[in-house]
Amino acid sequence: MTLDAFLHQFAAQMPHGLFWAFGIAFVAGILASAVCPCTLPMGLGMASVVGSYETSQKKSGFPIALSFFLGIVINLTVLGALAGRLGEVLTEAFGQYWALGMAVLSLLAAVVAFIGPQLKVAQLESLRRPGLAGAFVYGFIFSLGTSAAPLLLLLTVAAAQGKTESGLILAIFFGLGRGFPFLLIGLFAGIVTKLTALSVWRRTIQGASALSLLVVSVYYVRVYLAFV
Amino acid sequence: MRKRVRKFSLISFVSEIAVVLVAVFLWSFSANAATTKEQQSDKKPAQANTTDSAQLFGSAKIPVEGMSCMSCVAALKKAIRGMDGVTKVEVSLADRNVKVEYLTSKVTAQTIAQKINDLGYKTGSIEAVGK
């Protein structure tokens, strides 16, 4: 089912109350993640970052996934507030440089994932906060290029149903749904990494994480090259 | 032993970066080849105009459902641009449509729409755009 089909099927329920409207927006966000081709490589990237964080820093990687999730939610809140300007982030020129930015961020994450085990504990501690901020920025920029179009569709359908006044809150609930799968992926990756906490697997997980993030970077380089 | 492990890690890291750079080079090479093909097909219409008046150009606007992000735009642009006879492609995520210009002797708007459908998107009624 496409997002268009879902919204056309359930849009009529929106005027029945805020609960219905926000619930539809939340499910629309999850569906937008399900149908977006970027979800799979980014999910792989998220699992890699969390796994690498768990093994190199020996702390929970869930805050990383939560920061990424918040980046998506905050971005969609901002886009919802600036609904009239959505067209500016939907141009090919913007998309080209967005893809390049994602490729660079993923490459940086791959480098950090790889050199993590080489660093001393004190250096790792100093990277913890930038790691959370980095995950937030990663989520924010990811959402910028992948969520604006579905959000525009949701707001257009909501406006047609007379729900113009709650556009910002619809955007927030849409963001919660959009980021929810990545939160689950981060949680699952953290649990799996904890279960394989044996030192013999640690280096394998770190290597696999770095390689996965390189693959994500290459994916976005291909997207960038398609625009050139 | 520690030095050997570090050296091995450095070598494996450098080799991974090298693999990625080679892959990017190969892809960019194939992208350049596609661009060259597009430039050649851009040249063809001018020649077609002067040498054969039977070769006409067509323009169409095709509504597309299912595009969700810039990856979809890139995939559509690459696929349609690679079709023989297509001279120009504009994909609009905001308006949810694709505008194409093509040589009518080589491809039709219906064929282009079918290609879009084959990629997993849903096309609507094709609108011919006058030049």
Side-chain angles (χ1 to χ4, degrees):
Chain A
M1 178 186 268
T2 63
L3 185 61
D4 304 62
F6 171 80
L7 287 172
H8 287 127
Q9 191 174 345
F10 290 98
Q13 306 298 324
M14 279 187 170
H16 288 174
L18 288 176
F19 175 78
W20 286 107
F22 298 154
I24 288 166
F26 180 78
V27 175
I30 295 175
L31 189 58
S33 284
V35 300
C36 180
C38 285
T39 298
L40 189 59
M42 190 44 63
L44 180 68
M46 173 50 44
S48 302
V49 169
V50 169
S52 170
Y53 209 74
E54 291 262 351
T55 52
S56 65
Q57 299 230 4
K58 298 185 180 60
K59 285 186 177 171
S60 172
F62 186 71
I64 290 285
L66 189 62
S67 290
F68 185 86
F69 167 78
L70 285 174
I72 293 175
V73 174
I74 299 297
N75 172 256
L76 278 162
T77 305
V78 170
L79 288 179
L82 300 170
R85 309 283 297 266
L86 274 175
E88 291 174 21
V89 299
L90 292 174
T91 59
E92 281 190 31
F94 179 85
Q96 184 179 347
Y97 292 105
W98 168 81
L100 187 62
M102 285 299 296
V104 169
L105 275 176
S106 302
L107 186 62
L108 283 173
V111 169
V112 170
F114 201 89
I115 66 171
Q118 321 291 334
L119 299 176
K120 294 191 176 121
V121 172
Q123 288 171 308
L124 284 170
E125 281 292 332
S126 68
L127 279 181
R128 185 172 169 78
R129 265 208 174 153
L132 293 175
F136 178 86
V137 168
Y138 206 11
F140 192 95
I141 293 176
F142 169 71
S143 181
L144 205 55
T146 60
S147 307
L151 178 65
L152 181 62
L153 177 63
L154 172 71
L155 294 179
T156 305
V157 169
Q161 297 295 327
K163 301 297 285 180
T164 47
E165 71 283 358
S166 45
L168 179 61
I169 309 205
L170 282 174
I172 293 171
F173 274 86
F174 181 78
L176 290 171
R178 184 81 175 87
F180 188 66
F182 297 102
L183 202 60
L184 286 181
I185 288 168
L187 189 64
F188 180 71
I191 292 168
V192 168
T193 310
K194 275 200 176 64
L195 291 175
T196 56
L198 296 170
S199 59
V200 67
W201 288 104
R202 196 161 288 149
R203 193 170 289 279
T204 307
I205 289 171
Q206 284 154 353
S209 300
L211 199 57
S212 303
L213 286 160
L214 278 175
V215 168
V216 173
S217 183
V218 168
Y219 171 83
Y220 282 109
V221 167
R222 290 189 71 185
V223 172
Y224 167 73
L225 290 173
F227 284 107
V228 170
Chain B
M1 179 70 180
R2 260 178 127 178
K3 273 186 185 170
R4 205 180 289 171
V5 167
R6 246 186 233 172
K7 201 176 176 181
F8 178 75
S9 297
L10 184 63
I11 291 170
S12 66
F13 178 67
V14 168
S15 55
E16 279 177 26
I17 294 287
V19 164
V20 166
L21 286 173
V22 166
V24 166
F25 172 73
L26 287 172
W27 264 309
S28 66
F29 182 74
S30 66
N32 278 337
T35 308
T36 307
K37 184 185 169 190
E38 187 186 339
Q39 285 167 348
Q40 284 171 352
S41 68
D42 280 342
K43 285 180 190 165
K44 278 179 190 170
Q47 292 164 357
N49 257 334
T50 54
T51 59
D52 188 351
S53 59
Q55 282 188 320
L56 297 172
F57 308 112
S59 301
K61 187 159 71 176
I62 307 171
V64 179
E65 260 186 35
M67 288 195 289
S68 57
C69 70
M70 289 299 169
S71 290
C72 300
V73 173
L76 273 174
K77 205 172 166 76
K78 189 178 175 182
I80 299 171
R81 209 163 52 183
M83 293 178 77
D84 190 23
V86 171
T87 56
K88 191 178 175 186
V89 181
E90 280 176 21
V91 182
S92 174
L93 201 49
D95 299 330
R96 293 186 296 152
N97 62 36
V98 171
K99 289 181 192 164
V100 286
E101 290 177 12
Y102 53 92
L103 284 169
T104 53
S105 58
K106 292 204 168 180
V107 71
T108 62
Q110 286 72 23
T111 311
I112 296 169
Q114 186 56 48
K115 178 76 174 179
I116 296 171
N117 288 326
D118 290 344
L119 289 170
Y121 303 96
K122 193 177 167 190
T123 55
S125 305
I126 300 168
E127 186 188 319
V129 177
K131 277 201 159 190

